[in-house]
Amino acid sequence: MTDERIETVVLAGNPNVGKTTLFNALTGANAKVGNFAGVTVELKTGHTFTAHGRKVRILDLPGCYSLQGGSPDQQVAHRALRGEIGEIGRPDLAICVLDASNLERHLNLALEVIETGLPVVIALNMIDVAESSGLRLDPQKLSEELGVPVVPIQANRGKGLVELKQAIRHPLPPAADAPWSTGSDVEDARRSRVLALCEIVARRPTAHTSTVSDRLDSVLLHPVLGWLCFIGIMLAVFWTIFSLSETPMGWVESGQIWLQDLVANSMAEGDLRDLLVDGIIGGVGAVVIFLPQILMLFFFIGLLESSGYMSRAAYLMDGVMSKVGLSGKAFLPLLSSYACAIPGVMATRTIDSAKERLVTIFVAPWMSCSARLPVYLLLVPMLLGGSEGGLVQALIFTAIYAVGTLTAFVVARVLRGRLGPEEIVHHFILELPPYRAPQWGYIFRHLLERAGAFLKKAGTFILGLMILLWAAQTYPKLDSEDPAERLEHSIVGRISQVIEPVVRPLGFDGRTGTAILTSFAAREVFVGSMAQLYHVEESDDETQTRQRIRERIANEKRPDGSPLFSPLAVISLLVFYIYALQCLPTSAVVAREAGSWKWAVGQFVFMSAFAAIASLVIFQVGSLLGF
Ligand SMILES: Nc1nc2c(ncn2[C@@H]2O[C@H](COP(=O)(O)OP(=O)(O)OP(=O)(O)O)[C@@H](O)[C@H]2O)c(=O)[nH]1
Ligand SMILES: [Mg+2]
C-alpha cells in the first residue's frame, strides 16, 4: 500500500538564523524575512517536493532559544514541535536550522529538539559567513557525533538545497538517541555536550579581528553619533520619498487627467459621464497617485529591516523605552508599525511580559503608517505654499512621525503605570545581528505584493466608496444652475450641514468633516473624498476643475472670504490624522491579539477622542494667538 499521507517537516531554530529564508527557498513563498530576531511570529505553511517528487508539507516556526518558557511566538514553536497544534499534528521530521558561524549558541536548541524524539536533520546555514570568518567546520563529524544528518547550506543563495532535500527523502532518517539527557541535571549535561561538540567540529581562527560590523557599530551605537545618524537616516528617507517620487507621481497624474479628458470628450454630458470622470477616475485616481511614495516607504523600511539597522535603532532606544516602562524589544514592533500597524501589532508576540505587550499593542497605531502618507503628502505642501520637495518638508515629516511616536511613549508610560507591576521581571537582552546584505529578491517581491494589494483595494473598496460618495453628492437633484446650491441640496450637503457645527471648532468645514467621516473606512479615502467634495464644476472652464486637488482646495474660501485651509487649519487636520485610529483591520487584529474586543473598542474610542481634542486645542489656542 502506498502511503498517501503528506509528511510534515518543521523548520526549527534560534531567531534570525535564516529559517524563513530557507522556507521561501524551499516553497517558493515570499514570507517575511529580516535581519533581526523575531521576524516570524506565527506558523507559516508551504509545500515542497523531495528529490523523488514526493510532496512534503513545510512549516516555518518562529525562532526560539529553548523549548521552555518564552514569549507567545516562541510558545507557538514549542507547541508545533510537540505536535500540540490540532490541524497539524505531530511533525514527521524537524530540520534544525543553525547559524554555522555561531554553533556554541545554536546547538543547544538542536539537542533539545533531538531529545523530543523527533527525527532531526541539521541544516548548517550561513556557511558563507562561517567560512569568511575563517571558521573551519566538520559537518561529517557533527553528523557522526549526534547521529543525525548534517547538511551545510546557504539559504539566501539556495546553496545546498538539493542535498537537504536528499536528507529528507523517504524513508525519513530515524530519531537519534540523546544519551546526554539521562542524568539529573539535563541542562548542565546539554551545555557540556555543546562545548564538547564545538571542540570537535569547529576550529576557530585564533585572533579576533575587528570586523566591519564592529566598526559600524562604534558609530551607529555611539551615544551621541548614533542619535545623529538615526535622525540623519530618517531625514534622508523622507527627503528621498519626496524628491524621487515627484516624477512617477506626475506620470500617474498625467495619465489620470488624460483618461478624464478622453472619457469626458467621448461621452455625452450626463450623470454617467460625471460618475466616471469625477467620481471614479477623479476619486480613485487621487488615491492611486500616492502609490509610488507608499512603495518607497516600504522599500526603505525593508532596507532598514534587512540590513540589521532596525536592531541598532531599538538598541539606541532602549534607554528611552525603559523610562516609559517598556523594553527596547517593544521598539521593534513599533518601528515596523511605520509601514503598517497590523504586522506591528502581530510582532508584539515577541514580547515576554503580558502587560508590556498590551501597552505596546495599545500605542502601536500611533506610529504613522503608510496609509497616512497620502494625507500628509496632500496637506504638508499646503503649509509651504504648494512648493514640494526640499529639506523643510523632510523636517516637517520627521516632526510628524516624532509627534506620533512621542505621544505613544507618554501614553505608554501612563498606561504601564496603571496596569501595575509585572509579577515576573524579564531581563531583556537585545540581540544585535551582524550587518547583512539585503535580500533584494525578497524586497522587490514584497513591493510587488504591496502594490498589488494597494491597487486591489483602490479598485474594489475605495472604488465602491467613491461611487457611493458621488451618488450622495449628486442626489437628490435640484434644478439649479448654481453647483453650490445643488451640492447643498444633496445627501452630502445635508450631512455636511449636520457635521459643520461639530467640526467647525476644530477648524474644518462640513465638507472636510464629511471627508474625515468617509476616511474612518480607510485613511487613504480622505484624499479621494476631498478630490470629489471640492470639485465644483465651473462649466465653461473644464481644465481648471481638473487641476491638482491640492491647488483646488488651497483656493477654497470660507463664507467670510478667508481661506478655508489656513496654515492653522491644515496643522489641526494633520494632527487629527496623526492621532485618529481609522483602520478597521487594525482594530480586528488588536481584538484578536489582546484577547478581547474591549481593548480594541477602548483603543478606538480613546484615540479618536484624543485626535478630536488635540485638533480642537490646537485650533482654538492658535486662533486665540492670532494665527
Ligand atoms: N549571509 C547569509 N545570510 C543569510 C543566510 N540565510 C539567511 N540570511 C539572512 O539572515 C537574516 C535572517 O533571515 P530570516 O530568514 O528572516 O531568519 P529567521 O530564522 O526566519 O528569523 P526569525 O523569523 O526572526 O526567527 C536575513 O537578513 C537573511 O538575509 C545565509 O545563508 N547567508
Ligand atoms: Mg522567520
Side-chain angles (χ1 to χ4, degrees):
M1 192 185 93
T2 52
D3 182 6
E4 286 300 328
R5 199 179 73 86
I6 295 181
E7 280 153 351
T8 301
V9 172
V10 293
L11 299 179
N14 286 31
N16 206 31
V17 294
K19 296 178 296 299
T20 306
T21 309
L22 176 61
F23 174 80
N24 287 344
L26 286 174
T27 64
N30 200 43
K32 181 163 179 162
V33 295
N35 186 13
F36 55 96
V39 179
T40 308
V41 292
E42 56 180 352
L43 284 185
K44 285 256 155 36
T45 325
H47 288 99
T48 194
F49 292 89
T50 65
H52 299 91
R54 205 183 153 78
K55 195 172 176 182
V56 180
R57 177 156 63 163
I58 306 278
L59 287 188
D60 182 23
L61 303 187
C64 55
Y65 296 98
S66 98
L67 293 186
Q68 280 106 43
S71 45
D73 61 326
Q74 304 195 9
Q75 283 164 20
V76 169
H78 309 167
R79 288 177 44 226
L81 280 166
R82 288 198 296 259
E84 289 171 6
I85 295 181
E87 67 271 29
I88 290 156
R90 190 173 154 86
D92 298 280
L93 177 101
I95 297 183
C96 274
V97 187
L98 310 187
D99 175 350
S101 67
N102 214 338
L103 280 187
E104 305 85 296
R105 292 192 50 206
H106 295 181
L107 265 173
N108 199 58
L109 182 76
L111 298 191
E112 276 192 75
V113 178
I114 292 176
E115 284 165 31
T116 64
L118 280 180
V120 168
V121 170
I122 287 182
L124 275 187
N125 193 29
M126 311 225 180
I127 207 75
D128 54 318
V129 183
E131 276 169 7
S132 67
S133 71
L135 195 65
R136 300 249 299 275
L137 295 171
D138 191 344
Q140 185 59 38
K141 193 89 195 144
L142 184 61
S143 171
E144 283 163 19
E145 289 291 325
L146 288 175
V148 302
V150 175
V151 187
I153 64 167
Q154 186 187 348
N156 63 347
R157 295 264 177 279
K159 290 188 190 162
L161 293 195
V162 176
E163 292 79 358
L164 187 64
K165 283 184 177 182
Q166 285 288 345
I168 61 172
R169 75 176 188 276
H170 211 64
L172 297 174
D177 297 330
W180 61 85
S181 67
T182 47
S184 56
D185 193 345
V186 183
E187 278 188 29
D188 248 2
R190 230 181 264 139
R191 215 167 300 135
S192 32
R193 184 82 186 116
V194 169
L195 288 180
L197 282 173
C198 288
E199 261 322 285
I200 305 171
V201 303
R203 200 158 318 134
R204 287 229 151 267
T206 39
H208 173 79
T209 46
S210 135
T211 60
V212 181
S213 261
D214 295 339
R215 285 199 293 275
L216 266 177
D217 276 346
S218 65
V219 177
L220 293 178
L221 297 180
H222 188 274
V224 180
L225 291 179
W227 279 99
L228 288 180
C229 291
F230 179 73
I231 295 170
I233 289 173
M234 289 299 164
L235 273 177
V237 166
F238 293 130
W239 184 79
T240 325
I241 288 183
F242 287 116
S243 23
L244 282 193
S245 52
E246 217 11 47
T247 320
M249 271 178 78
W251 294 338
V252 181
E253 201 163 41
S254 319
Q256 181 200 352
I257 293 176
W258 174 83
L259 200 62
Q260 280 181 316
D261 286 341
L262 184 79
V263 176
N265 295 333
S266 57
M267 283 179 74
E269 212 171 291
D271 279 359
L272 186 62
R273 191 180 86 166
D274 285 351
L275 168 67
L276 283 176
V277 174
D278 304 323
I280 295 180
I281 309 176
V284 177
V287 182
V288 171
I289 276 181
F290 295 104
L291 179 63
Q293 278 153 322
I294 290 180
L295 290 186
M296 289 185 88
L297 181 71
F298 276 109
F299 173 76
F300 284 119
I301 291 179
L303 216 57
L304 293 180
E305 284 181 341
S306 57
S307 60
Y309 184 72
M310 278 291 204
S311 314
R312 270 72 188 181
Y315 181 90
L316 277 181
M317 276 285 168
D318 200 31
V320 181
M321 298 298 283
S322 70
K323 289 206 180 65
V324 306
L326 301 177
S327 64
K329 206 171 189 176
F331 193 62
L332 284 169
L334 292 183
L335 265 180
S336 63
S337 301
Y338 284 138
C340 174
I342 293 171
V345 168
M346 302 268 296
T348 61
R349 291 184 183 185
T350 56
I351 301 172
D352 301 80
S353 144
K355 288 174 180 168
E356 188 178 329
R357 180 162 178 243
L358 275 180
V359 172
T360 315
I361 291 177
F362 196 84
V363 299
W366 268 345
M367 308 291 121
S368 280
C369 67
S370 66
R372 284 158 166 125
L373 205 54
V375 181
Y376 298 158
L377 287 166
L378 174 71
L379 297 177
V380 169
M382 289 174 66
L383 288 175
L384 304 169
S387 64
E388 285 180 34
L391 197 62
V392 186
Q393 280 204 16
L395 277 171
I396 297 181
F397 256 71
T398 313
I400 287 177
Y401 281 74
V403 167
T405 312
L406 290 178
T407 321
F409 286 174
V410 174
V411 171
R413 153 114 230 182
V414 175
L415 191 63
R416 186 69 196 82
R418 290 187 62 116
L419 285 180
E422 191 71 46
E423 296 79 33
I424 318 158
V425 180
H426 293 275
H427 291 285
F428 154 73
I429 309 152
L430 187 71
E431 262 199 273
L432 288 181
Y435 293 95
R436 291 199 177 110
Q439 279 188 35
W440 298 110
Y442 161 75
I443 293 184
F444 285 110
R445 280 172 71 181
H446 182 62
L447 286 188
L448 275 183
E449 280 167 17
R450 296 306 307 205
F454 181 81
L455 291 176
K456 189 168 160 221
K457 190 175 178 189
T460 52
F461 183 67
I462 296 180
L463 174 73
L465 271 171
M466 288 298 116
I467 295 176
L468 272 183
L469 186 68
W470 175 86
Q473 66 165 340
T474 310
Y475 304 105
K477 281 196 157 176
L478 180 73
D479 221 1
S480 157
E481 281 303 301
D482 182 2
E485 251 177 45
R486 286 206 303 264
L487 182 67
E488 214 166 283
H489 187 72
S490 70
I491 300 178
V492 163
R494 293 169 203 198
I495 295 177
S496 298
Q497 279 156 25
V498 178
I499 295 180
E500 175 111 15
V502 183
V503 295
R504 200 184 302 126
L506 278 60
F508 320 137
D509 72 340
R511 274 186 282 175
T512 308
T514 311
I516 293 179
L517 211 58
T518 58
S519 69
F520 273 91
R523 292 181 177 98
E524 309 90 315
V525 171
F526 176 76
V527 192
S529 301
M530 291 294 275
Q532 276 203 40
L533 293 170
Y534 289 95
H535 169 89
V536 179
E537 210 170 310
E538 275 132 67
S539 44
D540 43 321
D541 191 358
E542 281 277 332
T543 45
Q544 180 166 0
T545 57
R546 233 161 269 141
Q547 58 194 190
R548 304 184 135 197
I549 61 164
R550 188 184 298 137
E551 286 152 22
R552 241 186 285 148
I553 60 178
N555 293 329
E556 286 289 328
K557 301 266 187 294
R558 291 177 189 277
D560 65 6
S562 61
L564 180 58
F565 291 95
S566 64
L568 187 61
V570 172
I571 292 177
S572 165
L573 198 51
L574 277 173
V575 167
F576 186 88
Y577 274 91
I578 293 177
Y579 289 135
L581 178 54
Q582 299 163 300
C583 180
L584 219 52
T586 299
S587 293
V589 170
V590 166
R592 191 186 70 202
E593 296 295 312
S596 121
W597 269 102
K598 280 193 211 138
W599 270 87
V601 173
Q603 183 186 39
F604 174 79
V605 171
F606 177 76
M607 289 195 172
S608 307
F610 194 101
I613 293 170
S615 286
L616 178 74
V617 170
I618 285 184
F619 191 72
Q620 292 305 323
V621 173
S623 304
L624 277 180
L625 296 177
F627 285 105

